[in-house]
């Protein structure tokens, strides 16, 4: 992991902020997260937000169904312990792994997921995009053409002894065609799609997205305990 000076660390209120500049192997990232979770739990490390990209791949959460992997040979598939179903990761998508000590912040999973969604909504708002939550669907959605709704960000978390890991994935400018290889997050039908900031005409850089995430973190999660 390599720290970056491109993000306003003050907005994180004492949480370590790390940016990996190159796409990182998924298995290595999960191993690093698990080690950090144990260190946070033992009091040997600070909480952390880790921003990165992965090579193109699919991940299968704990609720993933085999029939939702529509093109099993299209990309590598990784089984993972996070909640949720199938999702896609790849270049152009900002993945944010969030490792927070919820035993100190408040051991409330629903509140934590709500804070993650609020973080994404605030980040999108800084670019003039109205991200919306849905009571029956985790993640952040934007209005499409007609009655269509398009997902722009996914949420999938795991908690170990009240330390969180995994987190969110915001579509900045990924190859959206790869989403056709799965039923994203188990949500199918002509009324639902997937989009990105660039597809919406918001051609921001990844560094600009990182700064927006940093600035929105404090209002969404509050100060570090």
């Amino acid at each position: 992991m390599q720290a970056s000076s491109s993000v306003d660390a003050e907005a994180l209120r004492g949480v370590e902020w790390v940016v990996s500049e190159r796409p990182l192997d998924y298995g290595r990232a999960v191993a690093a997260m698990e080690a950090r979770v144990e260190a946070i739990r033992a009091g040997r490390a600070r909480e952390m937000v880790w921003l990165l990209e992965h090579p193109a791949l699919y991940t299968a959460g704990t609720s993933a169904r085999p029939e939702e992997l529509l093109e099993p040979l299209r990309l590598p598939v990784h089984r993972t312990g996070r909640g949720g179903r199938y999702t896609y990761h790849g270049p152009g998508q900002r993945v944010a792994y969030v490792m927070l000590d919820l035993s100190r912040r408040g051991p409330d999973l629903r509140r934590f997921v709500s804070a993650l969604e609020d973080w994404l909504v605030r980040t999108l708002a800084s670019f003039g995009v109205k991200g919306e939550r849905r009571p029956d669907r985790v993640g952040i959605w934007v209005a499409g053409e007609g009655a269509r709704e398009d997902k722009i960000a996914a949420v999938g978390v795991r908690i170990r002894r009240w330390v969180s890991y995994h987190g969110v994935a915001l579509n900045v400018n990924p190859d959206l065609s790869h989403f056709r290889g799965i039923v994203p997050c188990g949500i199918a039908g002509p009324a639902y799609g997937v989009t990105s900031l660039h597809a919406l005409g918001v051609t921001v850089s990844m560094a600009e997205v990182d700064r927006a995430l940093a600035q929105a973190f404090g209002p969404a999660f509050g100060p570090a305990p």
Side-chain angles (χ1 to χ4, degrees):
M1 303 178 193
Q2 180 179 0
S4 171
S5 60
S6 65
V7 178
D8 180 8
E10 289 298 319
L12 294 172
R13 300 176 182 268
V15 178
E16 184 176 1
W17 184 270
V18 177
V19 179
S20 292
E21 302 293 346
R22 297 178 181 177
L24 186 66
D25 175 78
Y26 186 78
R28 287 180 57 197
V30 171
M33 275 194 290
E34 290 178 341
R36 183 65 175 231
V37 165
E38 292 304 315
I40 292 171
R41 185 68 182 84
R44 293 183 282 103
R46 289 187 292 158
E47 297 176 311
M48 188 174 84
V49 174
W50 185 12
L51 304 183
L52 68 154
E53 296 171 84
H54 288 300
L57 57 90
Y58 298 129
T59 62
T62 55
S63 302
R65 299 175 180 175
E67 65 270 19
E68 293 171 352
L69 181 60
L70 304 178
E71 298 180 26
L73 301 180
R74 184 173 185 138
L75 294 173
V77 179
H78 294 259
R79 299 286 168 178
T80 181
R82 63 155 177 81
R85 288 152 93 161
Y86 280 102
T87 192
Y88 164 74
H89 293 314
Q93 182 189 70
R94 178 48 91 209
V95 174
Y97 290 137
V98 183
M99 288 155 271
L100 300 182
D101 187 352
L102 302 185
S103 67
R104 300 173 66 197
R105 290 176 173 266
D108 186 327
L109 179 57
R110 288 188 178 183
R111 188 172 74 178
F112 174 61
V113 171
S114 179
L116 289 172
E117 293 180 329
D118 183 47
W119 186 31
L120 291 165
V121 168
R122 290 174 182 272
T123 298
L124 291 168
S126 69
F127 300 117
V129 175
K130 184 180 180 182
E132 299 178 333
R133 313 182 205 203
R134 293 292 179 264
D136 58 336
R137 290 174 255 139
V138 176
I140 301 302
W141 299 77
V142 297
E145 296 182 2
R148 182 184 176 91
E149 295 182 312
D150 293 324
K151 193 169 191 176
I152 195 168
V155 177
V157 300
R158 187 171 183 180
I159 307 295
R160 178 176 292 176
R161 298 172 68 188
W162 287 113
V163 178
S164 67
Y165 60 121
H166 295 278
V168 303
L170 174 61
N171 295 334
V172 180
N173 188 29
D175 183 348
L176 294 177
S177 70
H178 285 317
F179 283 96
R180 293 200 291 266
I182 56 173
V183 178
C185 302
I187 301 170
Y192 307 115
V194 181
T195 192
S196 68
L197 284 170
H198 281 220
L200 295 174
V202 183
T203 55
V204 293
S205 68
M206 199 65 78
E208 289 174 302
V209 171
D210 290 348
R211 285 193 290 272
L213 285 165
Q215 290 162 5
F217 185 88
F221 290 93

